[in-house]
Amino acid sequence: MDLGNTMKVISSPPAPPGAPASGGPPQGLSADALYANAMRDKDGGNSDMALQEFGDYLKYYRDTDTAPNAQYYVGEISYNRKDYETALKAFDAVLEQFPEGKNTKLLDAMFMKGRTLVLMGDKAGAIAEFRAVVKRAPTSELATKAKAQLASLGAVPARKTTHKATP
């Protein structure tokens, strides 16, 4: 019996020091520090660590103003790794899960979703995304890039339709 209890304790060790007891962030880990670490690792080419840190950031600090950015960077890193399924899901999450007013990565996610769809062979979906970028922010730098993508796909930005009155 004692041996059985000992085996149970050994197979379920206590949480390491500093680990959250209730599913919250580890003690002493602030949103700012975690985000800064993730950005440093992303910019330094340590994409494995950056993905983990952005994932933790989204797990613990999903309601912050920079959460859409963290979600976008998960997509960007996945895109650069040619993991297009994960990238597409991450870009969709930026578009669907974060309020438009606080989402500074909305246009970027739309554009990158279009690029991802091109590489996944969904030309029609890509065209729709690029057109949406142009429609939403026609004078932006991303709209210029979206127009170039549309041209390379043999498409044009959606035009406003005008109806002529018939006599």
Side-chain angles (χ1 to χ4, degrees), residues 56-113:
D56 287 346
Y57 187 89
L58 291 165
K59 179 179 178 182
Y60 300 126
Y61 303 109
R62 191 160 196 84
D63 295 330
T64 63
D65 289 345
T66 52
N69 298 22
Q71 185 68 61
Y72 173 82
Y73 292 129
V74 168
E76 183 181 86
I77 292 167
S78 300
Y79 176 90
N80 290 336
R81 291 176 153 195
K82 298 180 181 9
D83 181 359
Y84 301 126
E85 289 290 334
T86 302
L88 185 62
K89 288 177 187 173
F91 296 136
D92 276 338
V94 174
L95 300 173
E96 297 167 4
Q97 296 176 10
F98 297 99
E100 190 172 324
K102 291 185 175 185
N103 189 344
T104 60
K105 288 294 187 185
L106 185 73
L107 279 178
D108 297 285
M110 291 169 66
F111 179 78
M112 288 303 295
K113 179 180 178 181

Side-chain angles (χ1 to χ4, degrees), residues 38 40-51 53 77 81:
R40 181 197 65 232
D41 288 327
K42 179 186 94 59
D43 294 341
N46 190 351
S47 59
D48 290 335
M49 183 59 89
L51 274 176
E53 291 164 332
I77 292 167
R81 291 176 153 195

